[in-house]
Amino acid sequence: MSGTAQGPWAAIRRVAASDRISGLIMLGFALMGLVLANIPATAAWFEHLSHFELGVPGTNITMGVGHWAQDGLLTIFFLVVGLELKQELTTGSLSNIRAAAVPMLCAVGGMIVPPILFIAVVALFSRYGAGDPGSLLIANGATFPFSEAAHGWAIPTATDIAFSLAVLALFAKALPGSIRAFLMTLATVDDLLAIILIAVFFSSLNAWYWFVGIAVCAVAWYFLVRMRKVPWFGVAVIGILSWVMMYEAGVHPTLAGVLVGLLTPARAMYGERSPRAERYADKLQPFSALLALPIFAFFATGVHFDAITPMLLVSPIVIGIIVALVVGKPLGIMAVAWCSTHLGSLRMPKGLRVRDMFPAAVACGIGFTVSFLIASLAYANAELSAEARFGVLLASLLAAAVSGVLLSRQSRRFEARAAAEQTVPDVQRGSGRTETTLADGTVVLSQSIGGRRKEPAHDDGAGSSGRRTKRGRRARR
């Protein structure tokens, strides 16, 4: 019975652990949401489902299903992010500041340039576009002032680490691990900065006593998860209460997951083999990758347009987000990487040059999850929010396609270089002897005597009478 019970769950965990499969599942749900929201036969049903209200008994918390996916279910994803951040800050890539300095600075550069380009594009449209000077004309014919459209400046700041790693898994099988580690460090810091943006710019603070409640929940969680035997019922109650306190305080409630994740111990305790933060993140990963993120993407992209026309492709909001993510992200990352290594005293990881990071930097233009969330928070107007999320989807797909091509070509170059390094001639000075290692591990020895080359002897480890091994030849000498 135990083997039967563990079999399906083990398969689910393997699927969730695959960046490639989980990324494709989330993309599939996102495209399905967009299609269902705009097909006449299903549009009304999708709208009804998205706005069907569910409430927490005894509280004033009542939201539609789509809103619950964004503010409730996505908390699981942010909890995993918080646990992984704590582990990285304690024993991972972010624990050594000097080693992580370049990707950390690149994350900052990748978050500064996109908003600048977004504002620049929107400003150009407001001045020279089809609408009145100082306003923008969007795809459905409505006009909005520049000041309102500019509220979306933070949308293209985030990188979706799950999708970025999925692209690497699909197209970059032969790349060195240092590139993946660089991207993971960069995206992790990017997530942390995006969380700070959400907390600072997209929160409307309420009564002070809710923050006292948040502090009490944080202290309770801190001590409960450090007990030798963790009381899971109490932990669950504290986690839910911290989410409610965040919601009532006016802070985006998903940040409750980050808070309790960062308070979880990331070093082994009581003789345990692995840290609790690492174990909890592994256990929650299937729920995050295969439940929370796909359902959130399904509702986040399920925005209804009066008509999906080519005008959407020339909308100022859509173009601004595409330029910011596809161009601004890699531009900011590469500029900071070059300045910090050429003008500063920092160094890239061993064996990597700045230009080696360009394909991965393009992959950082995949915004998706957090960008969708910020798009829903930045714009109160439903039409602006819908176009912003459509722009995030297009920009992420374009960045994934471009980075996929670049990563595939780069992977082939690294593969060819690795194959070439397996065949390296070693000419011994003054002996005229050449040793060549073939791709299959065979060592070919050749000796030049009087300008003539003797028949090469092969060392394939067989030790046969017709082939003297390299070790045997050295012994005779």
Side-chain angles (χ1 to χ4, degrees):
M1 289 292 293
S2 61
T4 305
Q6 292 178 1
W9 179 243
I12 290 172
R13 293 190 65 175
R14 284 194 297 271
V15 171
S18 170
D19 297 324
R20 182 187 313 174
I21 299 175
S22 58
L24 291 176
I25 290 174
M26 184 162 55
L27 177 60
F29 270 77
L31 294 176
M32 184 168 58
L34 179 64
V35 171
L36 291 178
N38 290 278
I39 292 178
T42 57
W45 168 83
F46 188 92
E47 184 76 9
H48 176 74
L49 175 64
S50 180
H51 291 90
F52 183 79
E53 290 192 344
L54 297 172
V56 178
T59 70
N60 62 346
I61 302 176
T62 302
M63 296 183 288
V65 173
H67 204 175
W68 273 111
Q70 173 184 295
D71 287 3
L73 201 56
L74 200 60
T75 306
I76 300 174
F77 164 74
F78 277 98
L79 174 56
V80 174
V81 169
L83 292 168
E84 292 177 344
L85 274 174
K86 180 60 179 292
Q87 196 64 55
E88 292 296 324
L89 289 167
T90 306
T91 60
S93 59
L94 301 181
S95 60
N96 185 340
I97 298 298
R98 183 168 181 81
V102 176
M104 290 172 69
L105 290 175
C106 287
V108 176
M111 295 191 74
I112 291 176
V113 176
I116 295 174
L117 290 185
F118 177 80
I119 294 296
V121 170
V122 171
L124 287 173
F125 270 96
S126 69
R127 184 167 184 177
Y128 302 107
D132 297 330
S135 64
L136 292 96
L137 179 68
I138 65 172
N140 70 344
T143 59
F144 294 90
F146 167 77
S147 58
E148 186 174 356
H151 287 169
W153 62 270
I155 296 172
T157 57
T159 293
D160 191 293
I161 186 169
F163 257 112
S164 301
L165 293 178
V167 170
L168 254 70
L170 282 169
F171 301 103
K173 297 179 181 178
L175 291 184
S178 52
I179 290 182
R180 189 179 190 275
F182 190 99
L183 178 60
M184 285 190 66
T185 303
L186 189 154
T188 302
V189 176
D190 190 289
D191 278 347
L192 179 60
L193 296 176
I195 290 165
I196 294 172
L197 280 181
I198 294 172
V200 173
F201 294 101
F202 301 104
S203 298
S204 53
L205 305 184
N206 296 326
W208 60 270
Y209 49 81
W210 294 114
F211 291 92
V212 175
I214 293 173
V216 171
C217 289
V219 172
W221 179 281
Y222 180 88
F223 286 104
L224 286 176
V225 295
R226 281 168 173 76
M227 296 177 65
R228 179 179 290 273
K229 188 175 181 180
V230 179
W232 288 111
F233 179 78
V235 168
V237 170
I238 293 298
I240 293 171
L241 284 177
S242 64
W243 184 93
V244 173
M245 297 294 174
M246 284 278 191
Y247 182 90
E248 297 289 359
V251 182
H252 199 270
T254 55
L255 299 186
V258 180
L259 174 65
V260 297
L262 290 173
L263 293 174
T264 304
R267 296 187 187 278
M269 305 170 64
Y270 307 115
E272 296 169 341
R273 294 183 178 181
S274 58
R276 293 182 174 182
E278 180 182 330
R279 294 205 311 274
Y280 298 166
D282 288 341
K283 291 179 179 178
L284 288 170
Q285 180 63 26
F287 298 99
S288 173
L290 303 181
L291 179 67
L293 290 180
I295 294 177
F296 166 74
F298 178 74
F299 286 105
T301 57
V303 291
H304 178 72
F305 297 97
D306 295 332
I308 298 183
T309 65
M311 290 300 296
L312 275 172
L313 301 178
V314 294
S315 166
I317 302 298
V318 173
I319 292 179
I321 291 174
I322 290 176
V323 171
L325 281 174
V326 179
V327 178
K329 269 289 184 180
L331 178 62
I333 292 170
M334 297 301 294
V336 171
W338 190 90
C339 290
S340 60
T341 55
H342 287 73
L343 303 180
S345 59
L346 299 177
R347 295 289 179 269
M348 293 288 292
K350 186 177 180 180
L352 287 184
R353 298 162 295 182
V354 171
R355 64 172 177 246
D356 292 332
M357 294 311 305
F358 181 68
V362 176
C364 290
I366 304 172
F368 223 76
T369 307
V370 179
S371 291
F372 280 144
L373 176 60
I374 296 177
S376 65
L377 300 175
Y379 291 125
N381 183 273
E383 290 296 332
L384 285 177
S385 179
E387 292 204 6
R389 282 180 274 181
F390 183 74
V392 170
L393 180 60
L394 285 184
S396 298
L397 291 175
L398 183 58
V402 174
S403 62
V405 173
L406 296 176
L407 285 167
S408 181
R409 294 177 60 185
Q410 185 184 38
S411 181
R412 287 196 296 269
R413 288 198 300 269
F414 273 96
E415 195 171 10
R417 185 187 305 175
E421 288 175 353
Q422 291 181 357
T423 307
V424 181
D426 178 22
V427 180
Q428 296 187 5
R429 184 177 301 176
S431 68
R433 190 172 102 181
T434 302
E435 297 183 5
T436 304
T437 304
L438 301 180
D440 61 356
T442 302
V443 178
V444 179
L445 307 177
S446 58
Q447 181 80 31
S448 296
I449 301 177
R452 298 178 60 187
R453 184 175 297 275
K454 295 178 66 178
E455 184 70 20
H458 300 269
D459 176 18
D460 58 0
S464 62
S465 59
R467 296 181 181 178
R468 288 183 292 177
T469 63
K470 182 177 175 182
R471 181 179 299 175
R473 298 189 110 191
R474 287 179 176 169
R476 289 168 184 260
R477 291 180 64 196

